[in-house]
């Protein structure tokens, strides 16, 4: 009888131990792509970036990553408690950014993610951390100096681009629009003379122009055709992470890391960046 009691007690203890182990197996993961207790202790954080934008978010042939958004993401992750080798960069294409956050695929996204009212219905934003503008990339010896100079000229952008539509509708209705599948194709066309200008955000254009093979060949026209407030996307309702990222961005500016990242990634294109924006201050487009 005594033996049966001991056995029952041992079995109960074993069940409790197994239950605790099973429950504890998921304790180091939250629902937004990072380890809840991992900062500096071997856990990982998943961060969304672009893979195909030189100067902003680019996956290089050796598997490493480079660009201004990458530098911002790395700095922010550091302030959240993660070393560079604890960051897992995940490609988040424009059309899938909101879904990636909602699914919990990533903790946050830094990927030329312009803050606007429609997106704020689905995600929360920290920042902004960069104020970009729609601009034109032209050859270094081009005589294009204002938007109306595009009338009769060949303008390139990606298919469905709102930037190209903006030029045709409001600035140069007689511009000959050439739409392709990627900005890389536009840049190649500009180099060959097939097109006279490429349009999108100045930060994106500066990134392409800063590549070694294009240095000195292109320049930004310096036209501020729109205001693009880049923010760090966070899952809707995760205000704690938004607050932490905002503090990290403020520190990045105050310690000089932000300006160094701008110069390192955009400098070769003579990119005249705006001063670092104030957290929570969105610069609207002219109505």
């Amino acid at each position: 009888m005594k033996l049966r009691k001991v056995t029952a007690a041992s079995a109960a203890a074993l069940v409790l131990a197994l239950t605790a182990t099973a429950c504890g197996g998921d304790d180091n993961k939250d629902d937004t792509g990072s380890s809840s207790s991992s900062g500096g202790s071997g856990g990982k954080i998943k961060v969304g970036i672009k893979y195909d934008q030189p100067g902003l978010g680019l996956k290089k042939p050796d598997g490493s990553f480079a660009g201004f958004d990458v530098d911002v993401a790395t700095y922010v992750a550091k302030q959240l408690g993660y070393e560079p080798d604890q960051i897992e960069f995940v490609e988040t294409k424009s059309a899938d950014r909101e879904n990636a956050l909602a699914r919990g695929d990533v903790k946050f996204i830094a990927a030329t993610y312009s803050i606007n009212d429609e997106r704020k219905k689905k995600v929360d934003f920290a920042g902004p951390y960069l104020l970009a503008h729609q601009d034109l990339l032209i050859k270094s010896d081009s005589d294009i100096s204002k938007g109306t100079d595009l009338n009769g000229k060949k303008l390139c952008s990606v298919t469905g681009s709102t930037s190209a539509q903006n030029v045709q509708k409001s600035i140069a209705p007689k511009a000959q629009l050439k739409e392709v599948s990627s900005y890389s194709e536009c840049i190649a066309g500009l180099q060959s003379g097939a097109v006279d200008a490429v349009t999108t955000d100045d930060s994106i254009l500066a990134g392409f122009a800063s590549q070694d093979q294009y240095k000195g060949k292109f320049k930004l026209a310096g036209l501020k055709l729109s205001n693009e407030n880049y923010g760090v996307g966070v899952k809707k309702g995760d205000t704690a992470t938004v607050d932490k990222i905002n503090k990290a961005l403020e520190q990045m500016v105050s310690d000089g890391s932000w300006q160094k990242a701008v110069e390192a990634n955009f400098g070769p294109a003579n990119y005249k960046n705006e001063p670092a924006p104030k957290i929570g201050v969105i610069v609207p487009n002219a109505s």
Side-chain angles (χ1 to χ4, degrees), residues 160-227:
S161 165
T162 55
S163 297
Q165 294 168 10
N166 182 38
V167 170
Q168 276 201 317
K169 182 178 179 179
S170 307
I171 300 168
K174 295 182 180 179
Q176 301 172 33
L177 178 60
K178 178 180 177 64
E179 294 182 295
V180 296
S181 61
S182 71
Y183 286 114
S184 296
E185 292 180 61
C186 282
I187 302 299
L190 182 61
Q191 184 177 30
S192 69
V195 298
D196 300 298
V198 181
T199 188
T200 187
D201 296 357
D202 53 7
S203 58
I204 297 174
L205 296 173
F208 276 104
S210 294
Q211 296 179 95
D212 289 339
Q213 66 267 39
Y214 298 134
K215 287 180 180 177
K217 296 181 179 180
F218 305 136
K219 65 181 180 182
L220 292 166
L223 309 181
K224 298 179 179 180
L225 304 176
S226 72
N227 295 318

